[in-house]
Amino acid sequence: MPRVKSEKSKKAKSSQGTNLITNSVKRLYNQSAPLLICEALLFGIAAIFMIIKPVAVLTALTFVIGVALVLFGLYRTIAGFIVSRDVGGGWFDVVFGLVNVVLGVLFCIYPVGSVVSLVYIFVLLFLFKSLRALIFSINMIRAKFGHYWFDLIMSIILIALAVFLLFYPVAGAVVMIYYLAITLLLYAAADLYMYIELLRLKKLV
């Protein structure tokens, strides 16, 4: 009789453990599945729209950046005035805020020119790093150390790409939009994969 009771208690405990696992998996599925599906659809639609209309997306993104700069500039300007009135400082915040407001207005009024200016800034930084890579590869050739021919070829390719973007900055901005679109598609694919795995786990339990 004691042995029968112990076996029944073990079965009861195992069934309770199974029920807990089943309930936790169902709860995880019910909470995560809708979110994963919505994210996958949102990312997928946004990525497709970016691929079809990259210039429109770029213009809208520039406008959003401009509005954000204006709001941030107004906040820093108001905060700077309050600090300067109470403590005697904060004029740097006022100037910095006004500069952000002006930049934000320019972004909203001249979106294409603002994007081109940003691309030029990034391209110049990219060209500087490419020239440093070229100098490094030349030093490696002199020392005959490492994969210097590969480093030399890569640095020349990077410099050629930077020069191309200097002459065609809009192309660089469009490529950036395509890069964001591919990234969103990858996120959408990851969400779909996680949803399928959750569905399989739910069926198993």
Side-chain angles (χ1 to χ4, degrees):
M1 290 296 291
R3 184 178 296 177
V4 174
K5 288 183 179 179
S6 63
E7 289 179 356
K8 287 183 178 180
S9 63
K10 286 181 181 179
K11 288 181 180 179
K13 289 181 180 178
S14 63
S15 63
Q16 288 178 358
T18 304
N19 290 331
L20 286 175
I21 295 173
T22 304
N23 292 331
S24 62
V25 169
K26 287 182 179 179
R27 193 182 309 112
L28 178 63
Y29 176 83
N30 292 330
Q31 291 176 353
S32 301
L35 181 62
L36 291 173
I37 292 296
C38 291
E39 280 188 358
L41 287 174
L42 182 63
F43 289 159
I45 292 170
I48 292 171
F49 185 73
M50 284 181 177
I51 293 172
I52 296 174
K53 299 285 187 181
V55 178
V57 172
L58 191 61
T59 304
L61 185 62
T62 307
F63 183 78
V64 171
I65 293 174
V67 172
L69 283 173
V70 170
L71 294 176
F72 176 73
L74 290 174
Y75 166 74
R76 290 296 297 267
T77 304
I78 295 170
F81 271 120
I82 293 173
V83 172
S84 63
R85 186 182 60 189
D86 294 340
V87 183
W91 290 110
F92 175 78
D93 290 330
V94 173
V95 175
F96 183 71
L98 291 175
V99 169
N100 278 276
V101 171
V102 172
L103 287 176
V105 171
L106 290 176
F107 266 75
C108 293
I109 298 175
Y110 304 106
V112 177
S114 302
V115 170
V116 171
S117 301
L118 283 178
V119 171
Y120 272 128
I121 293 172
F122 284 113
V123 168
L124 288 174
L125 294 174
F126 182 65
L127 181 61
F128 177 72
K129 294 198 71 174
S130 302
L131 290 173
R132 286 185 61 187
L134 178 63
I135 295 171
F136 175 78
S137 60
I138 291 173
N139 291 330
M140 290 297 100
I141 289 174
R142 289 176 178 174
K144 296 188 180 300
F145 179 78
H147 305 284
Y148 45 84
W149 287 113
F150 176 77
D151 294 334
L152 179 64
I153 293 171
M154 289 302 299
S155 59
I156 292 173
I157 291 173
L158 291 176
I159 290 172
L161 180 61
V163 172
F164 172 79
L165 291 176
L166 281 175
F167 286 100
Y168 302 99
V170 179
V174 172
V175 168
M176 181 182 67
I177 294 297
Y178 282 133
Y179 173 77
L180 290 175
I182 293 172
T183 304
L184 289 178
L185 284 176
L186 292 175
Y187 275 117
D191 285 338
L192 284 177
Y193 174 76
M194 291 175 65
Y195 169 75
I196 292 171
E197 290 297 316
L198 277 177
L199 190 60
R200 286 178 57 190
L201 184 61
K202 182 184 176 184
K203 290 180 178 179
L204 284 175
V205 298

